[in-house]
Amino acid sequence: MSAYAELFNLSKTFPSPQGERVIVRNFNLTIDAGEFVTLIGHSGCGKSTVLSMVAGLSSITAGGLILAGRELTGPGPDRGMVFQSPSLLPWLTAFENVMLGINQVFFTAPLYERQQIAEYYLSVVGLADCMHRRPRELSQGMRQRVGIARAFALKPKMLLLDEPFGMLDALTRYELQGVLLELWRKNRIATLMVTHDVDEALYLSDRVVCMTDGPAAEVGDIVPVHFPRPRDRASVMEHPDYDPLRERLIEFLEIHAHRRPSAVPGERSVALTA
Amino acid sequence: MSSTSLPVTATPGSPASASHPFRAGFQRWFSRLDWFVLPLAGAVAVLALWYLSSATWAKDLPNPTRTWIASKPYIVEPFAKRGELDQGILRFTWLSLILVAKGYAIALVVGTPLGFLLGISPLFTRALDPIIQVLRPVSPLAWLPLGMILFGGWKGANVSELAALFTIALCAMWPTVLNTAVGVRAIPQDYMNVARVLKLSRWKTLTKVMIPATLPYMFTGFRLSLGIAWLVIVAAEMLTGRPGIGGFLWQQYNALIYEQIILCILTIGLVGFVLDRLMSVVERRFRSV
């Protein structure tokens, strides 16, 4: 049985005056169909680089990507992307922003069907009453709701979330995590999310992948998260495994926070795949 | 203690305004009308300087009264046509505006795509930037003879009009070119990422993302270009002798009739001001999107 999405020996290097600068080295990960995987690590460790390589926005130096049996080259709407900043086009309304992608993916469908798709997803994320407003008339949280609706509306094979709630206040973040989880429960799209919020990772994901610090970041530890779904925040946090898992993740981050980048050993044996 | 000190330390303004109610009233009146009074004072000062100059050191300069009397027929009958170079002031203005509109249109049609190319392609920028920087400061007075030479050989063509259009377009183009290029380079990477993730075609990326994102910059360029186009018109009409506000000015000077020159200067200034205001209204509309 093969995995739904496979990242094998994904590497990223930049040429620099001091020779090759290795950002990510031999990153291996498999994601099952309908699985929610989260990448955590310190800021600048290269986790966003991994995500943008999967998205096709950043070139891959070595290694490769397979999604649903096909090797990926370059970006495409088969991977729904939610950026850290909502990245909405300010001259289009929320509805038009979502339609831009829908028109691209479902170009054979009649117009009213495409409009229904946009209206459906905007309603599900709670924007039924303000879908015809422009981004500047929406709050930061509402803009990110549009970003989530835009990603799901394309019915992508995979969902890529790049610290989607990083710019929001705590209350809005909780709300949007709920919105995301609800949409994901209905659609069960294989998801790769990047975050540095340990609680967010535990609440949302099936597995948490810890990345070692860059340069030359790799997979450090993979932590399975077996809270029953559908989840709600209270029962997840009361689960007897919650605190030990949280402890384990934070401990990992702390160990790697104190490691100086220059002291990175050349070879490290790590668990590469789950 | 406090009861005796109270009247002594009363608010500093109150005894003054109580003893000088007139001054307080004047201040209130002035603060309400200063938008009108101050510009009027400035205009009166300039008029006084003009009177003084024409009476003392600049004997050839007609004073404001003589200017007004000589200019009156051109103002009260603004659309009269008494001869090719003797027409009402608005009729001349209209002729000039048409010429500017044509030259300006050429500047935008050529300048905007050129700016886009410069913004998109670093190679193109490296190739053309030096020559643009050299050509940009060249005066319209220098371009006009070149235009005459370029179009001089065209049979049946209105050479002076073509040369004037060439000059206006060439001088007015640069702000549009440079601002569009800056605007294209300033398109946020986020917007381009959206276009890439959605796999928009080149055409859709251009029309749905790049052009809307660049519009505010483009319109700043358009506004500056219009200002230059209007500046150039006078020079172009002077040298080609075309009827228009600048041609009229030059003709009156050559005919030693100095009274209407100030009229022409004021008209050119007013029209330029109005054009700039109109363009900034349009510009602000696009900026707010």
Side-chain angles (χ1 to χ4, degrees):
Chain A
M1 142 162 192
S2 69
Y4 183 68
E6 193 175 351
L7 290 61
F8 57 90
N9 289 336
L10 215 53
S11 305
K12 179 86 184 177
T13 55
F14 282 115
S16 78
Q18 292 86 39
E20 295 266 277
R21 223 163 70 86
V22 183
I23 310 295
V24 180
R25 175 172 22 219
N26 293 353
F27 190 92
N28 285 285
L29 182 67
T30 57
I31 299 170
D32 292 332
E35 192 185 19
F36 198 122
V37 176
T38 298
L39 273 179
I40 64 166
H42 284 284
S43 305
C45 76
K47 55 194 193 303
S48 283
T49 309
V50 170
L51 198 79
S52 64
M53 279 195 283
V54 178
L57 293 174
S58 180
S59 65
I60 297 168
T61 312
L65 285 160
I66 289 171
L67 176 63
R70 290 175 63 182
E71 180 155 14
L72 294 176
T73 49
D78 56 341
R79 282 145 287 158
M81 180 101 186
V82 180
F83 302 92
Q84 181 173 15
S85 68
S87 297
L88 303 179
L89 303 180
W91 50 88
L92 301 179
T93 63
F95 179 77
E96 289 165 339
N97 265 290
V98 176
M99 279 300 279
L100 187 67
I102 293 176
N103 287 335
Q104 202 62 16
V105 175
F106 305 110
F107 54 91
T108 52
L111 180 65
Y112 72 91
E113 273 183 30
R114 282 179 269 149
Q115 287 172 339
Q116 274 175 355
I117 299 173
E119 279 165 13
Y120 170 75
Y121 282 98
L122 282 164
S123 307
V124 172
V125 297
L127 293 176
D129 296 329
C130 39
M131 61 173 75
H132 295 293
R133 291 198 204 155
R134 290 184 200 280
R136 74 188 150 91
E137 299 164 313
L138 301 172
S139 68
Q140 189 73 11
M142 287 157 107
R143 285 180 214 161
Q144 197 55 293
R145 284 171 194 252
V146 180
I148 292 170
R150 176 172 63 183
F152 273 96
L154 305 180
K155 302 221 164 65
K157 291 178 184 153
M158 190 173 178
L159 205 59
L160 303 172
L161 313 173
D162 188 2
E163 296 186 35
F165 312 124
M167 284 165 67
L168 305 175
D169 61 276
L171 212 63
T172 316
R173 191 182 312 149
Y174 283 177
E175 260 174 46
L176 286 206
Q177 284 167 359
V179 168
L180 172 68
L181 210 53
E182 181 63 17
L183 258 173
W184 184 80
R185 190 178 62 79
K186 287 180 184 156
N187 294 275
R188 280 283 174 166
I189 299 168
T191 301
L192 184 61
M193 178 170 84
V194 160
T195 186
H196 43 234
D197 182 338
V198 169
D199 295 301
E200 182 172 284
L202 286 176
Y203 177 44
L204 296 175
S205 25
D206 297 312
R207 270 190 299 151
V208 179
V209 176
C210 304
M211 277 183 78
T212 63
D213 276 4
E218 312 164 297
V219 173
D221 192 7
I222 293 182
V223 180
V225 182
H226 290 304
F227 302 129
R229 290 186 190 270
R231 294 175 183 174
D232 66 273
R233 195 178 307 276
S235 61
V236 164
M237 290 177 86
E238 282 162 13
H239 197 279
D241 288 348
Y242 187 81
D243 284 336
L245 283 174
R246 193 169 186 277
E247 207 61 34
R248 186 171 160 192
L249 293 178
I250 288 176
E251 199 178 87
F252 180 90
L253 291 177
E254 277 180 347
I255 289 168
H256 288 277
H258 298 310
R259 205 175 51 134
R260 296 191 70 81
S262 56
V264 176
E267 294 296 322
R268 284 161 46 85
S269 61
V270 284
L272 289 181
T273 46
Chain B
M1 183 65 199
S2 67
S3 63
T4 52
S5 69
L6 240 175
V8 181
T9 57
T11 50
S14 64
S17 61
S19 58
H20 301 285
F22 175 74
R23 192 204 279 170
F26 175 78
Q27 272 170 356
R28 212 176 315 125
W29 173 82
F30 186 80
S31 68
R32 217 177 303 151
L33 282 176
D34 62 349
W35 62 271
F36 175 73
V37 172
L38 291 178
L40 193 72
V44 167
V46 171
L47 265 180
L49 192 69
W50 180 4
Y51 259 116
L52 207 69
S53 301
S54 61
T56 53
W57 59 276
K59 294 282 186 203
D60 283 343
L61 180 73
N63 66 31
T65 320
R66 270 175 57 205
T67 302
W68 167 247
I69 292 166
S71 302
K72 217 174 150 190
Y74 295 90
I75 298 170
V76 293
E77 288 180 81
F79 294 104
K81 182 168 183 178
R82 292 175 285 265
E84 193 61 20
L85 281 168
D86 186 10
Q87 308 183 24
I89 197 70
L90 286 184
R91 203 182 172 89
F92 274 135
T93 306
W94 178 245
L95 289 173
S96 295
L97 278 174
I98 289 175
L99 194 68
V100 163
K102 288 184 192 164
Y104 180 57
I106 297 172
L108 299 197
V109 167
V110 176
T112 313
L114 186 61
F116 252 91
L117 278 175
L118 285 171
I120 292 168
S121 156
L123 209 75
F124 207 70
T125 304
R126 290 222 306 272
L128 285 190
D129 196 55
I131 188 81
I132 286 175
Q133 298 304 339
V134 168
L135 294 184
R136 203 160 56 95
V138 174
S139 152
L141 298 168
W143 286 118
L144 201 79
L146 183 67
M148 293 290 215
I149 296 165
L150 281 175
F151 301 107
W154 289 22
K155 292 278 178 292
N158 185 343
V159 176
S160 76
E161 173 162 5
L162 289 177
L165 290 180
F166 170 78
T167 308
I168 295 169
L170 205 59
C171 292
M173 192 167 72
W174 306 120
T176 296
V177 171
L178 297 177
N179 274 284
T180 306
V182 168
V184 171
R185 289 189 203 111
I187 297 175
Q189 191 56 41
D190 283 355
Y191 300 170
M192 298 311 289
N193 280 347
V194 169
R196 288 175 69 196
V197 166
L198 297 179
K199 267 204 169 150
L200 298 183
S201 63
R202 273 162 177 266
W203 176 248
K204 268 197 164 176
T205 305
L206 188 71
T207 55
K208 300 265 177 186
V209 181
M210 297 180 77
I211 291 179
T214 317
L215 270 182
Y217 290 86
M218 273 162 58
F219 270 86
T220 302
F222 291 174
R223 180 171 60 82
L224 297 173
S225 283
L226 186 59
I228 291 185
W230 186 243
L231 269 181
V232 171
I233 183 78
V234 178
E237 284 178 351
M238 274 182 176
L239 292 189
T240 57
R242 293 176 51 79
I245 192 86
F248 179 55
L249 191 157
W250 193 239
Q251 184 232 212
Q252 296 302 85
Y253 170 70
N254 284 330
L256 304 177
I257 309 166
Y258 299 149
E259 277 81 4
Q260 282 102 31
I261 289 180
I262 306 251
L263 170 70
C264 289
I265 291 175
L266 283 177
T267 311
I268 292 166
L270 272 173
V271 171
F273 173 74
V274 169
L275 289 178
D276 192 68
R277 288 291 98 182
L278 287 177
M279 275 311 277
S280 30
V281 168
V282 179
E283 189 188 349
R284 218 168 306 138
R285 255 192 70 87
F286 279 98
R287 180 139 295 177
S288 64
V289 165

